[in-house]
Amino acid sequence: MTTNPKNLRVSMNIFHRKKKKTGLALGGGAVLGAVHVGVLKALEEKRIKIDCISGTSIGAFVAALYAFGVEINEIEKITKDVKWLDITEISLSKFGLLTNEKFGELLVEHIGDKNIEDADIPLRVIATDISSGEKVILDHGNLANAVRASACIPGIFKPIEIDGRMLVDGGIVENVPVSPLKDMEADKIIAVQLLVHQAAKRPEHIVEVLLNTFEFMISNISKPYLEDVDLLISPDLSGFDKVDTDQIKDLIETGYETALKLLTE
């Protein structure tokens, strides 16, 4: 019996055909991060499977929950129940006014004391080395500490030390964490950017001063990375506040509606 060379080539092509990977990047944005929950709801409704995921700041928190298999309805409940005082407390450190230790405890409460490399969906978390200004992509080690570091706004929260490095918010270097997805060989990248873009408003306290400073800075830093994105989800958040947790339900709905419209188109 002879083998048809043409049939053999077809069979080998099918065997070696690479499975397409979809990556999801969830950006930072304090309370605005509730938008990510709505985006995930829309992705699941459209049956879009996420093969790898990355997060910065609040995006790292939501990405961690999702990567470790927490159901989207449970993530929504966690997000709605969180209050500012639930995740912060006064710090006696000379490096920060507050500590976000409770933020890590919230993660442990819902998924256990895990390591990043144990995630069901490959996960990367972005942080910044405050000594050198280098971007740090965390791909292994304690998950809660990594997420705390990524969400550690300088001047507000005490930095987190990991492997001898003093780490703070990843938004300083890459607020929409696209580069880790490229490193994980994602073929298609969906990114969620959280910017308020509202008319100038006088800050009412130090938290708003620092968050406004952050937003002005990261809006320019993110542009080069966004060129590699296949679908950018950037909802109109002009009517929202970066610190008011009473808006969370509406933020989730905004994320859902914006993502659903873009995915349908």
Side-chain angles (χ1 to χ4, degrees):
M1 179 179 177
T2 59
T3 303
N4 186 323
K6 182 178 179 181
N7 290 340
L8 181 60
R9 285 196 299 272
V10 171
S11 298
M12 292 300 291
N13 286 338
I14 292 172
F15 182 79
H16 288 292
R17 189 176 295 157
K18 179 186 173 186
K19 179 183 178 294
K20 297 292 184 180
K21 291 174 64 175
T22 299
L24 177 64
L26 302 182
V31 171
L32 302 176
V35 163
H36 295 319
V37 181
V39 171
L40 288 171
K41 290 176 69 174
L43 288 169
E44 289 204 345
E45 186 171 314
K46 286 294 184 179
R47 297 184 179 181
I48 296 175
K49 182 178 179 291
I50 300 303
D51 299 295
C52 52
I53 190 167
S54 59
T56 297
S57 198
I58 188 61
F61 179 75
V62 177
L65 291 171
Y66 195 70
F68 276 85
V70 180
E71 296 289 336
I72 191 63
N73 290 338
E74 181 64 17
I75 297 177
E76 182 173 6
K77 183 179 184 301
I78 294 167
T79 307
K80 286 179 177 177
D81 289 345
V82 167
K83 300 296 181 185
W84 181 258
L85 293 178
D86 293 339
I87 60 172
T88 63
E89 58 185 351
I90 298 296
S91 169
L92 299 178
S93 170
K94 62 183 178 181
F95 295 111
L97 302 173
L98 305 170
T99 173
N100 64 359
E101 187 172 348
K102 289 183 178 179
F103 197 45
E105 291 173 359
L106 183 63
L107 205 55
V108 172
E109 177 185 340
H110 290 283
I111 62 176
D113 192 10
K114 305 287 188 178
N115 285 341
I116 299 171
E117 61 268 29
D118 298 327
D120 300 331
I121 301 172
L123 169 67
R124 300 291 184 270
V125 174
I126 296 279
T128 304
D129 185 327
I130 198 59
S131 299
S132 64
E134 291 178 287
K135 175 170 64 180
V136 179
I137 300 177
L138 298 165
D139 59 4
H140 67 279
N142 186 266
L143 175 68
N145 285 341
V147 172
R148 286 180 60 206
S150 184
C152 194
I153 303 170
I156 297 181
F157 294 120
K158 181 177 72 173
I160 308 300
E161 187 166 324
I162 297 177
D163 295 333
R165 302 180 109 176
M166 189 179 284
L167 303 182
V168 296
D169 201 297
I172 297 172
V173 287
E174 191 173 349
N175 196 51
V176 184
V178 174
S179 65
L181 300 178
K182 294 174 62 182
D183 293 341
M184 289 191 280
E185 300 182 334
D187 299 287
K188 296 292 182 182
I189 296 177
I190 301 170
V192 186
Q193 184 180 40
L194 308 174
L195 294 175
V196 173
H197 293 309
Q198 63 186 13
K201 174 191 170 187
R202 185 184 179 88
E204 296 180 4
H205 44 69
I206 187 173
V207 174
E208 287 193 346
V209 169
L210 290 169
L211 288 175
N212 281 359
T213 303
F214 242 56
E215 180 161 332
F216 301 149
M217 177 181 66
I218 64 180
S219 61
N220 291 318
I221 290 173
S222 299
K223 289 177 182 177
Y225 298 104
L226 297 178
E227 293 175 359
D228 296 313
V229 169
D230 296 284
L231 177 63
L232 177 63
I233 300 172
S234 186
D236 179 7
L237 302 176
S238 57
F240 293 98
D241 184 280
K242 291 184 280 289
V243 296
D244 185 1
T245 54
D246 291 335
Q247 312 164 109
I248 285 177
K249 180 180 178 182
D250 292 334
L251 284 165
I252 292 173
E253 187 62 26
T254 298
Y256 170 76
E257 291 177 354
T258 304
L260 194 64
K261 179 181 178 182
L262 290 170
L263 292 168
T264 301
E265 290 173 353

